[in-house]
Amino acid sequence: MAKNISFTLRFWRQNGPKAQGYFDTHEMKDIPDGTSFLEMLDILNEELIEAGKEPFVFDHDCREGICGMCSLYINGTPHGKTERGATTCQLYMRRFNDGDVITVEPWRSAAFPVIKDCMVDRTAFDKIIAAGGYTTVRTGQAQDANAILISKEAADEAMDCATCIGCGACVAACKNGSAMLFLSSKVSQLALLPQGRPEAAKRVKNMIDKMEELGFGNCTNTRACEAACPKNESIANIARLNREYIAAKLAD
């Protein structure tokens, strides 16, 4: 049965990457438990604006669990996950109890500077992807479906890796601020397919160099990234990334 809940919301305020941040609080009253978390934040902003206060800034786009823009750290967990495979926009207020204190923070990483409040700059991920360069694929008329033989196992695994949405939950969850799960998924989706092999060695070296240049930490196999990933990416990808990198360096 649907019910309304009331709770205290603690949300992060920060006017930029160099500004001093702080927690603001607001009492939320009689919120239907069928309300999504982002809809609840919309209600918060309506109340703040009516009170003559500045609205709370947070990132969102599709609200369908596809884009990963809803990058919020809720009660100490990326995307506020209480179950595997969900983004913030797929979190509903029924997951919380009447009288709770809910704390909302931004992704905390040196590579993700705060733009304002809980909106962070994740262009570091775009720079890693750009460092990977291109793939040698002929353009023009599509090739025959059987021209490049790929096993179903490899195709399925490559597709699983390609489901990474680059939300940054792995970085936020990692005590080292590592981007290895993201990077390994992007490397793996090409390394598993013959179309990605010609530039594989150059790609993995350039992407790892760029990741280190941007200030991400290294992986120490705590698996926090895997637990936080809304698309259930596996740390087996990190093992593949390491093999690809070692092989590329030995070839040098």
Side-chain angles (χ1 to χ4, degrees):
M1 176 181 287
K3 63 178 182 179
N4 292 350
I5 62 172
S6 299
F7 51 89
T8 300
L9 188 67
R10 297 176 71 240
F11 52 99
W12 188 253
R13 293 284 206 179
Q14 188 172 340
N15 285 325
K18 298 183 184 298
Q20 181 70 38
Y22 63 95
F23 281 109
D24 200 353
T25 61
H26 190 81
E27 297 298 323
M28 304 297 295
K29 302 291 186 182
D30 298 323
I31 303 298
D33 66 358
T35 303
S36 75
F37 199 87
L38 295 189
E39 288 171 339
M40 180 274 292
L41 294 180
D42 292 337
I43 295 171
L44 165 69
N45 278 338
E46 289 174 1
E47 294 181 359
L48 290 175
I49 291 169
E50 286 178 2
K53 299 179 180 179
E54 189 173 354
F56 169 60
V57 177
F58 61 97
D59 220 344
H60 61 93
D61 192 4
C62 74
R63 300 199 178 200
E64 294 179 343
I66 298 171
C67 70
M69 294 295 287
C70 50
S71 50
L72 295 177
Y73 204 77
I74 304 165
N75 286 349
T77 308
H79 293 299
K81 289 182 59 172
T82 54
E83 58 186 30
R84 298 294 296 268
T87 52
T88 299
C89 61
Q90 295 171 300
L91 179 67
Y92 284 82
M93 299 313 298
R94 67 177 68 95
R95 297 289 183 181
F96 302 95
N97 298 314
D98 194 62
D100 277 356
V101 176
I102 301 174
T103 301
V104 182
E105 304 171 71
W107 283 173
R108 298 194 184 278
S109 169
F112 293 158
V114 171
I115 297 173
K116 186 171 177 62
D117 296 346
C118 282
M119 178 183 285
V120 300
D121 183 355
R122 285 172 289 179
T123 55
F125 273 4
D126 296 329
K127 293 176 181 177
I128 291 174
I129 293 295
Y134 60 89
T135 57
T136 301
V137 178
R138 295 193 320 183
T139 58
Q141 185 174 353
Q143 289 180 285
D144 183 78
N146 294 321
I148 301 176
L149 298 179
I150 304 169
S151 69
K152 185 179 187 306
E153 292 76 13
D156 287 347
E157 192 169 0
M159 184 62 72
D160 288 342
C161 295
T163 60
C164 169
I165 55 179
C167 67
C170 51
V171 177
C174 179
K175 65 179 182 179
N176 306 320
S178 174
M180 288 286 275
L181 188 64
F182 162 78
L183 174 54
S184 65
S185 296
K186 296 305 178 184
V187 166
S188 292
Q189 72 185 58
L190 293 173
L192 286 161
L193 301 175
Q195 297 95 323
R197 294 313 306 172
E199 293 81 26
K202 180 180 179 181
R203 180 186 304 115
V204 70
K205 289 185 293 184
N206 288 348
M207 292 178 79
I208 286 180
D209 288 347
K210 179 58 69 173
M211 177 187 70
E212 293 175 349
E213 174 192 322
L214 293 169
F216 290 103
N218 206 350
C219 174
T220 49
N221 290 313
T222 65
R223 303 186 73 169
C225 56
E226 185 181 56
C229 178
K231 296 302 177 181
N232 298 319
E233 295 294 337
S234 170
I235 64 165
N237 295 339
I238 298 178
R240 182 181 298 105
L241 171 70
N242 289 333
R243 292 195 299 270
E244 290 283 326
Y245 184 71
I246 291 169
K249 296 299 284 186
L250 288 175
D252 287 345

